[in-house]
Amino acid sequence: MAAGGGIDPIHQFEIKPIIGLRPFGLDLSFTNASLLMVAIVAVISVIMIYGSSQRSVVPGRLQSFAEMIYEFVASTVTGVMGKEGMKFFPLVFSLFMFVLFANMLGMIPGSFTVTSHIVVTAAFAFLVIGTVLVYGVVKHGSHFFGLFVPSGVPGWLLPFMVLIEAVSFVSRPISLSLRLFGNMLAGHIALKVFGGFVVALLAAGGAATIIAPLPLLLAVALTALEFLVAFLQAYVFAILTCVYLNDALHPGH
Amino acid sequence: MPVRSSRSVRQGWAGFVASGLTATLVAGAAQAATPSLSGEKAAFPPFDVVTFPGQLFWLAITFGALYWLMSTIALPRVGAILEERAGTIARDLDNAARMQAKAEETALAYEAALTEARKNAQGIAQASRDAGAKASEERRHAVEAELATKLATAEATIAATKTSAMSNVRGLGSEVAIAIVEKLTGQAPSATEASEAVDQVLARG
Protein backbone atom coordinates (compact mmCIF):
# COMPACT_ATOMS: atom_id res chain seq x y z
CA MET A 1 0.00 0.00 0.00
CA ALA A 2 2.94 2.30 0.58
CA ALA A 3 3.60 4.29 -2.56
CA GLY A 4 6.31 6.85 -3.03
CA GLY A 5 7.82 6.32 0.43
CA GLY A 6 4.67 7.30 2.38
CA ILE A 7 1.28 5.84 2.99
CA ASP A 8 -0.97 7.13 0.28
CA PRO A 9 -4.66 7.21 1.28
CA ILE A 10 -5.65 7.68 -2.36
CA HIS A 11 -3.94 4.52 -3.54
CA GLN A 12 -6.92 2.38 -2.51
CA PHE A 13 -9.16 4.10 -5.05
CA GLU A 14 -6.90 3.39 -7.99
CA ILE A 15 -8.31 1.31 -10.79
CA LYS A 16 -5.94 -1.34 -12.06
CA PRO A 17 -6.68 -3.39 -15.15
CA ILE A 18 -6.64 -7.15 -14.76
CA ILE A 19 -7.57 -8.19 -18.29
CA GLY A 20 -7.02 -5.60 -20.98
CA LEU A 21 -9.94 -4.93 -23.32
CA ARG A 22 -9.81 -2.10 -25.82
CA PRO A 23 -12.56 -2.38 -28.41
CA PHE A 24 -13.21 0.70 -30.58
CA GLY A 25 -10.44 2.58 -28.82
CA LEU A 26 -12.40 2.54 -25.55
CA ASP A 27 -10.74 1.20 -22.44
CA LEU A 28 -13.20 -1.48 -21.30
CA SER A 29 -10.60 -3.49 -19.39
CA PHE A 30 -11.71 -5.87 -16.71
CA THR A 31 -10.32 -4.06 -13.67
CA ASN A 32 -10.27 -4.51 -9.92
CA ALA A 33 -13.50 -2.44 -9.88
CA SER A 34 -15.08 -4.84 -12.38
CA LEU A 35 -13.92 -7.78 -10.29
CA LEU A 36 -15.61 -6.33 -7.22
CA MET A 37 -18.79 -5.68 -9.19
CA VAL A 38 -18.84 -9.31 -10.26
CA ALA A 39 -18.13 -10.36 -6.67
CA ILE A 40 -21.03 -8.22 -5.45
CA VAL A 41 -23.44 -9.86 -7.88
CA ALA A 42 -22.06 -13.29 -6.96
CA VAL A 43 -22.46 -12.74 -3.20
CA ILE A 44 -25.99 -11.37 -3.59
CA SER A 45 -26.91 -14.27 -5.89
CA VAL A 46 -25.60 -16.80 -3.38
CA ILE A 47 -27.70 -15.27 -0.62
CA MET A 48 -30.86 -14.69 -2.60
CA ILE A 49 -30.88 -17.54 -5.14
CA TYR A 50 -28.92 -20.32 -3.47
CA GLY A 51 -30.37 -19.30 -0.10
CA SER A 52 -33.94 -19.64 -1.33
CA SER A 53 -33.36 -22.78 -3.41
CA GLN A 54 -34.64 -25.08 -0.66
CA ARG A 55 -38.01 -23.28 -0.65
CA SER A 56 -38.60 -24.62 2.84
CA VAL A 57 -41.53 -23.40 4.87
CA VAL A 58 -39.31 -23.53 7.94
CA PRO A 59 -36.26 -21.62 6.70
CA GLY A 60 -32.60 -22.37 7.27
CA ARG A 61 -30.06 -19.72 8.18
CA LEU A 62 -29.30 -18.41 4.71
CA GLN A 63 -32.93 -18.54 3.63
CA SER A 64 -34.13 -16.58 6.66
CA PHE A 65 -31.42 -14.01 5.91
CA ALA A 66 -32.68 -13.74 2.32
CA GLU A 67 -36.27 -13.46 3.59
CA MET A 68 -35.25 -10.85 6.15
CA ILE A 69 -33.66 -8.64 3.47
CA TYR A 70 -36.63 -9.19 1.16
CA GLU A 71 -39.12 -8.16 3.82
CA PHE A 72 -36.97 -5.23 4.94
CA VAL A 73 -36.80 -3.76 1.43
CA ALA A 74 -40.41 -4.66 0.68
CA SER A 75 -41.62 -2.87 3.81
CA THR A 76 -39.51 0.17 2.88
CA VAL A 77 -41.00 0.20 -0.63
CA THR A 78 -44.61 -0.22 0.49
CA GLY A 79 -44.08 2.19 3.37
CA VAL A 80 -43.08 5.01 1.02
CA MET A 81 -44.97 4.19 -2.17
CA GLY A 82 -47.85 2.02 -1.01
CA LYS A 83 -48.87 -1.32 -2.52
CA GLU A 84 -48.56 -0.15 -6.13
CA GLY A 85 -44.91 0.72 -5.46
CA MET A 86 -44.14 -3.01 -5.56
CA LYS A 87 -43.72 -2.74 -9.36
CA PHE A 88 -40.47 -0.93 -8.58
CA PHE A 89 -39.49 -3.47 -5.96
CA PRO A 90 -36.92 -5.35 -8.12
CA LEU A 91 -35.22 -2.08 -9.01
CA VAL A 92 -35.08 -0.77 -5.45
CA PHE A 93 -34.02 -4.17 -4.17
CA SER A 94 -31.22 -4.51 -6.75
CA LEU A 95 -30.01 -0.98 -6.03
CA PHE A 96 -30.09 -1.47 -2.27
CA MET A 97 -28.30 -4.80 -2.44
CA PHE A 98 -25.69 -3.63 -4.93
CA VAL A 99 -24.87 -0.51 -2.94
CA LEU A 100 -24.94 -2.37 0.38
CA PHE A 101 -22.60 -5.10 -0.75
CA ALA A 102 -20.38 -2.68 -2.64
CA ASN A 103 -19.97 -0.80 0.64
CA MET A 104 -19.54 -3.95 2.72
CA LEU A 105 -17.09 -5.72 0.41
CA GLY A 106 -15.20 -2.44 0.28
CA MET A 107 -14.62 -2.80 4.02
CA ILE A 108 -12.49 -5.89 3.45
CA PRO A 109 -8.87 -4.77 3.81
CA GLY A 110 -7.09 -4.62 0.48
CA SER A 111 -10.29 -4.80 -1.56
CA PHE A 112 -11.88 -2.03 -3.57
CA THR A 113 -14.94 0.10 -2.90
CA VAL A 114 -17.02 0.32 -6.06
CA THR A 115 -19.21 3.06 -4.62
CA SER A 116 -16.23 5.30 -3.89
CA HIS A 117 -16.19 6.20 -7.58
CA ILE A 118 -18.52 8.99 -8.55
CA VAL A 119 -19.16 7.55 -11.99
CA VAL A 120 -20.79 4.52 -10.35
CA THR A 121 -22.93 6.45 -7.88
CA ALA A 122 -23.87 8.97 -10.59
CA ALA A 123 -24.88 6.14 -12.90
CA PHE A 124 -27.19 4.81 -10.19
CA ALA A 125 -28.59 8.28 -9.50
CA PHE A 126 -29.31 8.90 -13.16
CA LEU A 127 -30.83 5.45 -13.47
CA VAL A 128 -33.24 6.37 -10.67
CA ILE A 129 -34.07 9.83 -12.02
CA GLY A 130 -34.31 8.45 -15.55
CA THR A 131 -36.79 5.85 -14.33
CA VAL A 132 -38.77 8.57 -12.55
CA LEU A 133 -38.89 10.74 -15.68
CA VAL A 134 -39.67 7.97 -18.15
CA TYR A 135 -42.27 6.28 -15.98
CA GLY A 136 -43.80 9.60 -14.92
CA VAL A 137 -44.17 10.89 -18.48
CA VAL A 138 -45.36 7.56 -19.90
CA LYS A 139 -47.87 7.04 -17.12
CA HIS A 140 -49.16 10.57 -16.55
CA GLY A 141 -48.14 12.43 -19.74
CA SER A 142 -47.87 16.18 -19.32
CA HIS A 143 -49.70 15.83 -16.04
CA PHE A 144 -46.40 14.59 -14.60
CA PHE A 145 -44.96 18.09 -14.87
CA GLY A 146 -47.58 19.21 -12.39
CA LEU A 147 -44.87 18.05 -10.02
CA PHE A 148 -43.19 21.40 -10.65
CA VAL A 149 -46.36 23.42 -10.02
CA PRO A 150 -47.33 23.33 -6.37
CA SER A 151 -51.04 23.84 -5.79
CA GLY A 152 -52.39 26.73 -3.73
CA VAL A 153 -49.62 29.18 -4.62
CA PRO A 154 -50.57 32.76 -5.60
CA GLY A 155 -50.06 33.49 -9.29
CA TRP A 156 -47.24 36.00 -8.94
CA LEU A 157 -45.25 33.52 -6.87
CA LEU A 158 -45.75 30.64 -9.27
CA PRO A 159 -42.76 31.26 -11.59
CA PHE A 160 -40.44 31.32 -8.60
CA MET A 161 -41.96 28.18 -7.17
CA VAL A 162 -41.65 26.38 -10.49
CA LEU A 163 -38.03 27.46 -10.69
CA ILE A 164 -37.35 26.27 -7.15
CA GLU A 165 -39.09 22.96 -7.78
CA ALA A 166 -37.16 22.49 -11.01
CA VAL A 167 -33.85 23.22 -9.27
CA SER A 168 -34.74 20.82 -6.47
CA PHE A 169 -35.61 18.15 -9.02
CA VAL A 170 -32.37 18.62 -10.94
CA SER A 171 -30.33 18.59 -7.75
CA ARG A 172 -31.76 15.22 -6.76
CA PRO A 173 -29.46 13.02 -8.86
CA ILE A 174 -26.51 15.20 -7.87
CA SER A 175 -27.18 14.94 -4.15
CA LEU A 176 -28.07 11.27 -4.48
CA SER A 177 -24.77 10.41 -6.15
CA LEU A 178 -22.56 12.79 -4.16
CA ARG A 179 -23.92 11.66 -0.78
CA LEU A 180 -22.98 8.03 -1.35
CA PHE A 181 -19.73 8.82 -3.12
CA GLY A 182 -18.62 11.36 -0.52
CA ASN A 183 -19.43 9.12 2.43
CA MET A 184 -17.56 6.15 1.07
CA LEU A 185 -14.60 8.16 -0.15
CA ALA A 186 -14.19 10.20 3.02
CA GLY A 187 -14.62 7.21 5.30
CA HIS A 188 -12.00 5.17 3.53
CA ILE A 189 -9.56 8.07 3.39
CA ALA A 190 -10.05 8.74 7.11
CA LEU A 191 -9.42 5.09 7.91
CA LYS A 192 -6.29 5.06 5.84
CA VAL A 193 -5.02 8.32 7.30
CA PHE A 194 -5.41 7.05 10.86
CA GLY A 195 -3.79 3.77 9.88
CA GLY A 196 -0.96 5.80 8.38
CA PHE A 197 -0.57 7.74 11.64
CA VAL A 198 0.03 4.49 13.50
CA VAL A 199 2.77 3.47 11.08
CA ALA A 200 4.32 6.93 11.04
CA LEU A 201 4.35 7.21 14.85
CA LEU A 202 5.85 3.74 15.21
CA ALA A 203 8.50 4.58 12.65
CA ALA A 204 9.34 7.86 14.39
CA GLY A 205 10.43 5.99 17.52
CA GLY A 206 10.90 7.41 21.04
CA ALA A 207 7.96 9.19 22.65
CA ALA A 208 5.99 9.02 19.42
CA THR A 209 5.94 5.23 19.63
CA ILE A 210 4.18 5.41 22.99
CA ILE A 211 1.22 7.37 21.63
CA ALA A 212 0.95 5.21 18.52
CA PRO A 213 -1.93 3.13 19.98
CA LEU A 214 -4.13 6.25 20.16
CA PRO A 215 -4.73 6.54 16.41
CA LEU A 216 -5.03 2.76 16.34
CA LEU A 217 -7.97 2.98 18.78
CA LEU A 218 -9.47 5.69 16.64
CA ALA A 219 -9.03 3.55 13.55
CA VAL A 220 -10.86 0.70 15.28
CA ALA A 221 -13.70 3.02 16.27
CA LEU A 222 -13.79 4.45 12.75
CA THR A 223 -14.01 0.96 11.29
CA ALA A 224 -17.11 0.28 13.35
CA LEU A 225 -18.52 3.64 12.25
CA GLU A 226 -17.72 2.81 8.63
CA PHE A 227 -19.73 -0.40 8.83
CA LEU A 228 -22.65 1.63 10.14
CA VAL A 229 -22.20 4.18 7.37
CA ALA A 230 -21.94 1.41 4.78
CA PHE A 231 -25.36 0.09 5.76
CA LEU A 232 -26.89 3.49 6.39
CA GLN A 233 -25.86 4.93 3.02
CA ALA A 234 -27.29 1.92 1.19
CA TYR A 235 -30.53 2.36 3.15
CA VAL A 236 -30.61 6.11 2.51
CA PHE A 237 -30.03 5.48 -1.18
CA ALA A 238 -32.86 2.95 -1.28
CA ILE A 239 -35.32 5.10 0.66
CA LEU A 240 -34.57 8.22 -1.42
CA THR A 241 -35.04 6.10 -4.53
CA CYS A 242 -38.46 5.16 -3.17
CA VAL A 243 -39.29 8.79 -2.40
CA TYR A 244 -38.33 9.92 -5.92
CA LEU A 245 -40.13 7.00 -7.58
CA ASN A 246 -43.17 7.93 -5.51
CA ASP A 247 -43.23 11.22 -7.41
CA ALA A 248 -43.51 9.27 -10.64
CA LEU A 249 -46.37 7.20 -9.19
CA HIS A 250 -48.25 10.10 -7.62
CA PRO A 251 -47.24 13.42 -9.20
CA GLY A 252 -48.67 16.61 -7.75
CA HIS A 253 -48.37 17.61 -4.13
CA MET B 1 -0.37 12.02 3.87
CA PRO B 2 -2.08 12.88 0.61
CA VAL B 3 0.44 15.52 -0.35
CA ARG B 4 0.82 14.56 -3.95
CA SER B 5 -2.80 14.07 -4.79
CA SER B 6 -4.09 17.07 -2.85
CA ARG B 7 -1.65 19.24 -4.72
CA SER B 8 -2.85 17.90 -8.02
CA VAL B 9 -6.45 18.47 -6.99
CA ARG B 10 -5.60 21.99 -5.92
CA GLN B 11 -3.96 22.63 -9.25
CA GLY B 12 -7.05 21.22 -10.89
CA TRP B 13 -9.29 23.50 -8.93
CA ALA B 14 -7.12 26.46 -9.82
CA GLY B 15 -7.43 25.51 -13.44
CA PHE B 16 -11.12 25.11 -13.00
CA VAL B 17 -11.55 28.53 -11.43
CA ALA B 18 -9.32 30.11 -14.03
CA SER B 19 -11.26 28.56 -16.83
CA GLY B 20 -14.27 30.46 -15.55
CA LEU B 21 -16.60 27.67 -16.37
CA THR B 22 -19.80 27.40 -14.46
CA ALA B 23 -20.14 23.77 -13.73
CA THR B 24 -21.23 21.42 -11.04
CA LEU B 25 -18.83 19.86 -8.63
CA VAL B 26 -18.81 16.72 -10.77
CA ALA B 27 -17.80 18.67 -13.84
CA GLY B 28 -15.25 20.53 -11.75
CA ALA B 29 -13.87 17.28 -10.52
CA ALA B 30 -13.68 15.99 -14.06
CA GLN B 31 -11.82 19.18 -14.89
CA ALA B 32 -9.44 18.44 -12.06
CA ALA B 33 -8.78 15.02 -13.45
CA THR B 34 -8.24 16.27 -16.98
CA PRO B 35 -4.42 16.29 -16.82
CA SER B 36 -4.42 12.52 -16.54
CA LEU B 37 -5.91 12.37 -20.02
CA SER B 38 -2.76 13.95 -21.30
CA GLY B 39 -0.77 11.14 -19.78
CA GLU B 40 0.17 12.75 -16.48
CA LYS B 41 -0.05 10.19 -13.68
CA ALA B 42 -1.47 10.66 -10.17
CA ALA B 43 -4.88 12.08 -11.00
CA PHE B 44 -7.38 11.62 -8.19
CA PRO B 45 -8.71 8.18 -9.23
CA PRO B 46 -12.45 8.73 -8.67
CA PHE B 47 -12.31 11.72 -11.04
CA ASP B 48 -10.16 9.99 -13.64
CA VAL B 49 -12.33 10.25 -16.76
CA VAL B 50 -10.30 7.60 -18.56
CA THR B 51 -11.76 4.92 -16.28
CA PHE B 52 -15.36 6.05 -16.77
CA PRO B 53 -16.31 4.08 -19.91
CA GLY B 54 -14.87 0.85 -18.54
CA GLN B 55 -16.57 1.32 -15.17
CA LEU B 56 -19.90 2.16 -16.77
CA PHE B 57 -19.54 -0.79 -19.14
CA TRP B 58 -18.92 -3.31 -16.36
CA LEU B 59 -21.45 -1.65 -14.09
CA ALA B 60 -24.11 -1.97 -16.79
CA ILE B 61 -23.27 -5.64 -17.28
CA THR B 62 -23.11 -6.55 -13.59
CA PHE B 63 -26.07 -4.45 -12.48
CA GLY B 64 -28.10 -5.62 -15.44
CA ALA B 65 -27.29 -9.21 -14.53
CA LEU B 66 -28.16 -8.57 -10.90
CA TYR B 67 -31.47 -6.94 -11.85
CA TRP B 68 -32.31 -9.83 -14.15
CA LEU B 69 -31.37 -12.45 -11.55
CA MET B 70 -33.30 -10.70 -8.81
CA SER B 71 -36.44 -9.85 -10.79
CA THR B 72 -36.81 -13.20 -12.57
CA ILE B 73 -35.44 -15.72 -10.08
CA ALA B 74 -34.69 -14.57 -6.56
CA LEU B 75 -37.51 -12.16 -5.71
CA PRO B 76 -40.42 -14.19 -7.14
CA ARG B 77 -39.06 -17.26 -5.39
CA VAL B 78 -38.61 -15.61 -1.99
CA GLY B 79 -41.96 -13.88 -2.41
CA ALA B 80 -43.58 -17.25 -3.17
CA ILE B 81 -41.93 -18.81 -0.13
CA LEU B 82 -43.20 -16.02 2.11
CA GLU B 83 -46.67 -16.22 0.59
CA GLU B 84 -46.73 -19.98 0.98
CA ARG B 85 -45.68 -19.67 4.60
CA ALA B 86 -48.33 -17.04 5.26
CA GLY B 87 -50.85 -19.34 3.57
CA THR B 88 -49.72 -22.33 5.61
CA ILE B 89 -49.90 -20.39 8.84
CA ALA B 90 -53.32 -18.98 7.97
CA ARG B 91 -54.56 -22.45 7.02
CA ASP B 92 -53.21 -23.97 10.24
CA LEU B 93 -54.79 -21.20 12.28
CA ASP B 94 -58.06 -21.77 10.43
CA ASN B 95 -57.89 -25.47 11.15
CA ALA B 96 -57.12 -24.82 14.78
CA ALA B 97 -60.04 -22.39 15.04
CA ARG B 98 -62.34 -24.92 13.39
CA MET B 99 -61.16 -27.68 15.72
CA GLN B 100 -61.69 -25.46 18.70
CA ALA B 101 -65.19 -24.55 17.53
CA LYS B 102 -65.90 -28.24 17.13
CA ALA B 103 -64.57 -29.00 20.59
CA GLU B 104 -66.68 -26.22 22.07
CA GLU B 105 -69.72 -27.56 20.23
CA THR B 106 -69.05 -31.02 21.60
CA ALA B 107 -68.64 -29.62 25.07
CA LEU B 108 -71.96 -27.79 24.72
CA ALA B 109 -73.68 -30.93 23.49
CA TYR B 110 -72.24 -32.89 26.39
CA GLU B 111 -73.38 -30.18 28.77
CA ALA B 112 -76.86 -30.28 27.28
CA ALA B 113 -77.00 -34.07 27.51
CA LEU B 114 -75.86 -33.89 31.09
CA THR B 115 -78.53 -31.32 31.94
CA GLU B 116 -81.14 -33.45 30.22
CA ALA B 117 -80.08 -36.54 32.10
CA ARG B 118 -80.11 -34.67 35.36
CA LYS B 119 -83.57 -33.38 34.64
CA ASN B 120 -84.72 -36.90 33.75
CA ALA B 121 -83.24 -38.28 36.93
CA GLN B 122 -85.02 -35.63 38.93
CA GLY B 123 -88.27 -36.49 37.14
CA ILE B 124 -87.84 -40.16 37.87
CA ALA B 125 -87.00 -39.49 41.48
CA GLN B 126 -90.05 -37.22 41.81
CA ALA B 127 -92.28 -39.79 40.15
CA SER B 128 -91.08 -42.62 42.35
CA ARG B 129 -91.40 -40.42 45.39
CA ASP B 130 -94.95 -39.51 44.35
CA ALA B 131 -95.78 -43.14 43.71
CA GLY B 132 -94.39 -44.14 47.11
CA ALA B 133 -96.33 -41.41 48.83
CA LYS B 134 -99.50 -42.39 47.04
CA ALA B 135 -99.08 -46.04 47.92
CA SER B 136 -98.44 -45.32 51.58
CA GLU B 137 -101.39 -42.96 51.61
CA GLU B 138 -103.60 -45.66 50.18
CA ARG B 139 -102.38 -48.13 52.69
CA ARG B 140 -102.99 -45.66 55.46
CA HIS B 141 -106.51 -45.07 54.20
CA ALA B 142 -107.15 -48.80 54.06
CA VAL B 143 -105.82 -49.32 57.57
CA GLU B 144 -107.86 -46.39 58.82
CA ALA B 145 -110.99 -47.74 57.18
CA GLU B 146 -110.33 -51.15 58.68
CA LEU B 147 -109.74 -49.62 62.08
CA ALA B 148 -112.96 -47.61 61.77
CA THR B 149 -114.88 -50.76 60.94
CA LYS B 150 -113.33 -52.58 63.88
CA LEU B 151 -114.10 -49.62 66.09
CA ALA B 152 -117.75 -49.58 64.94
CA THR B 153 -118.05 -53.32 65.56
CA ALA B 154 -116.53 -52.94 68.98
CA GLU B 155 -118.83 -50.06 69.78
CA ALA B 156 -121.84 -52.10 68.66
CA THR B 157 -120.68 -55.01 70.81
CA ILE B 158 -120.23 -52.70 73.77
CA ALA B 159 -123.68 -51.20 73.22
CA ALA B 160 -125.26 -54.64 72.97
CA THR B 161 -123.42 -55.83 76.04
CA LYS B 162 -124.41 -52.67 77.85
CA THR B 163 -128.13 -53.10 76.91
CA SER B 164 -128.15 -56.71 77.96
CA ALA B 165 -126.32 -55.85 81.16
CA MET B 166 -128.83 -53.11 81.84
CA SER B 167 -131.79 -55.47 81.31
CA ASN B 168 -130.08 -57.99 83.59
CA VAL B 169 -129.65 -55.24 86.17
CA ARG B 170 -133.43 -54.47 85.95
CA GLY B 171 -134.38 -58.09 86.32
CA LEU B 172 -131.96 -58.43 89.19
CA GLY B 173 -133.28 -55.18 90.70
CA SER B 174 -136.96 -56.37 90.63
CA GLU B 175 -136.00 -59.71 92.07
CA VAL B 176 -134.04 -58.00 94.84
CA ALA B 177 -136.94 -55.62 95.41
CA ILE B 178 -139.45 -58.53 95.64
CA ALA B 179 -137.18 -60.28 98.10
CA ILE B 180 -136.71 -57.15 100.27
CA VAL B 181 -140.43 -56.35 100.26
CA GLU B 182 -141.29 -59.97 101.15
CA LYS B 183 -138.83 -59.90 104.02
CA LEU B 184 -140.19 -56.65 105.35
CA THR B 185 -143.86 -57.20 104.87
CA GLY B 186 -144.04 -60.89 104.57
CA GLN B 187 -146.07 -60.47 101.47
CA ALA B 188 -144.45 -60.63 97.97
CA PRO B 189 -145.47 -58.00 95.44
CA SER B 190 -146.26 -59.03 91.92
CA ALA B 191 -143.43 -59.05 89.46
CA THR B 192 -145.09 -56.31 87.44
CA GLU B 193 -145.32 -53.96 90.44
CA ALA B 194 -141.70 -54.57 91.26
CA SER B 195 -140.42 -53.97 87.77
CA GLU B 196 -142.50 -50.74 87.53
CA ALA B 197 -141.05 -49.55 90.78
CA VAL B 198 -137.52 -50.32 89.54
CA ASP B 199 -138.20 -48.46 86.29
CA GLN B 200 -139.36 -45.42 88.32
CA VAL B 201 -136.19 -45.46 90.41
CA LEU B 202 -134.01 -45.86 87.34
CA ALA B 203 -135.81 -43.00 85.57
CA ARG B 204 -135.28 -40.75 88.65
CA GLY B 205 -131.71 -41.28 88.60
Side-chain angles (χ1 to χ4, degrees):
Chain A
M1 290 279 173
I7 288 159
D8 181 5
I10 303 303
H11 177 79
Q12 57 180 323
F13 303 113
E14 263 169 30
I15 289 185
K16 281 161 272 176
I18 297 170
I19 303 164
L21 268 177
R22 288 190 153 274
F24 320 116
L26 276 175
D27 185 5
L28 302 183
S29 301
F30 189 82
T31 61
N32 53 348
S34 319
L35 180 69
L36 258 292
M37 288 175 192
V38 171
I40 290 160
V41 175
V43 170
I44 297 170
S45 298
V46 164
I47 294 170
M48 296 308 296
I49 295 175
Y50 174 72
S52 66
S53 59
Q54 299 286 317
R55 297 166 189 263
S56 41
V57 172
V58 181
R61 244 177 273 173
L62 200 59
Q63 189 183 322
S64 44
F65 185 51
E67 286 172 9
M68 200 181 75
I69 303 172
Y70 180 99
E71 289 188 315
F72 174 71
V73 180
S75 72
T76 305
V77 168
T78 50
V80 176
M81 291 191 273
K83 267 268 171 272
E84 51 191 320
M86 284 306 275
K87 62 170 72 110
F88 292 121
F89 178 57
L91 176 67
V92 177
F93 187 85
S94 303
L95 278 172
F96 173 72
M97 290 301 267
F98 197 98
V99 173
L100 178 66
F101 280 90
N103 296 350
M104 286 301 179
L105 294 185
M107 289 304 293
I108 298 169
S111 89
F112 179 87
T113 313
V114 174
T115 41
S116 68
H117 276 247
I118 190 150
V119 64
V120 172
T121 63
F124 282 144
F126 280 102
L127 174 67
V128 170
I129 298 301
T131 308
V132 169
L133 276 175
V134 170
Y135 184 83
V137 171
V138 167
K139 185 85 187 203
H140 302 285
S142 59
H143 188 67
F144 172 70
F145 294 100
L147 189 65
F148 298 112
V149 189
S151 53
V153 172
W156 60 272
L157 207 58
L158 206 55
F160 298 102
M161 290 308 291
V162 170
L163 186 69
I164 289 169
E165 290 288 338
V167 167
S168 103
F169 188 82
V170 169
S171 63
R172 278 174 179 184
I174 299 168
S175 70
L176 196 56
S177 53
L178 283 184
R179 182 181 303 110
L180 178 58
F181 161 68
N183 269 287
M184 298 326 292
L185 183 81
H188 282 269
I189 289 179
L191 267 182
K192 195 53 162 275
V193 166
F194 277 101
F197 279 162
V198 180
V199 177
L201 285 172
L202 283 176
T209 313
I210 298 164
I211 59 165
L214 289 178
L216 177 67
L217 283 177
L218 259 165
V220 171
L222 266 180
T223 307
L225 181 71
E226 274 310 295
F227 274 111
L228 178 71
V229 168
F231 170 75
L232 217 56
Q233 285 306 317
Y235 181 60
V236 164
F237 200 95
I239 208 157
L240 283 176
T241 300
C242 289
V243 169
Y244 297 159
L245 287 171
N246 190 40
D247 278 347
L249 277 175
H250 316 105
H253 292 253
Chain B
M1 290 300 291
V3 180
R4 203 179 48 185
S5 58
S6 67
R7 188 178 57 226
S8 87
V9 168
R10 223 179 294 122
Q11 279 173 349
W13 274 107
F16 160 57
V17 172
S19 70
L21 284 171
T22 51
T24 62
L25 176 59
V26 186
Q31 193 79 8
T34 314
S36 75
L37 278 173
S38 53
E40 187 192 314
K41 205 68 183 105
F44 188 49
F47 296 150
D48 192 350
V49 179
V50 174
T51 67
F52 283 11
Q55 291 222 62
L56 287 175
F57 175 72
W58 286 105
L59 181 66
I61 288 177
T62 50
F63 188 73
L66 179 71
Y67 184 84
W68 183 79
L69 286 172
M70 291 300 112
S71 61
T72 59
I73 303 175
L75 297 181
R77 196 193 276 172
V78 176
I81 292 169
L82 291 174
E83 221 161 85
E84 192 194 327
R85 178 171 315 138
T88 308
I89 290 171
R91 204 165 47 241
D92 286 0
L93 282 178
D94 262 18
N95 276 343
R98 216 169 29 245
M99 293 289 188
Q100 189 168 13
K102 216 157 135 192
E104 266 165 20
E105 214 169 86
T106 313
L108 276 179
Y110 165 76
E111 201 75 26
L114 197 66
T115 314
E116 182 81 4
R118 206 171 279 149
K119 213 156 61 193
N120 282 351
Q122 267 173 2
I124 290 165
Q126 189 66 42
S128 68
R129 206 179 302 133
D130 286 354
K134 208 167 142 199
S136 69
E137 188 81 358
E138 268 167 15
R139 223 171 52 228
R140 194 167 61 87
H141 276 301
V143 170
E144 268 176 7
E146 200 186 332
L147 284 177
T149 323
K150 276 184 180 166
L151 199 63
T153 322
E155 270 171 1
T157 313
I158 289 168
T161 312
K162 192 177 174 186
T163 316
S164 78
M166 278 313 249
S167 63
N168 289 348
V169 165
R170 246 179 62 218
L172 196 66
S174 17
E175 275 171 30
V176 168
I178 291 167
I180 293 170
V181 170
E182 197 181 0
K183 271 273 175 51
L184 287 175
T185 59
Q187 189 183 356
S190 71
T192 320
E193 279 174 334
S195 78
E196 274 175 6
V198 168
D199 280 344
Q200 276 175 3
V201 173
L202 279 173
R204 226 183 294 140

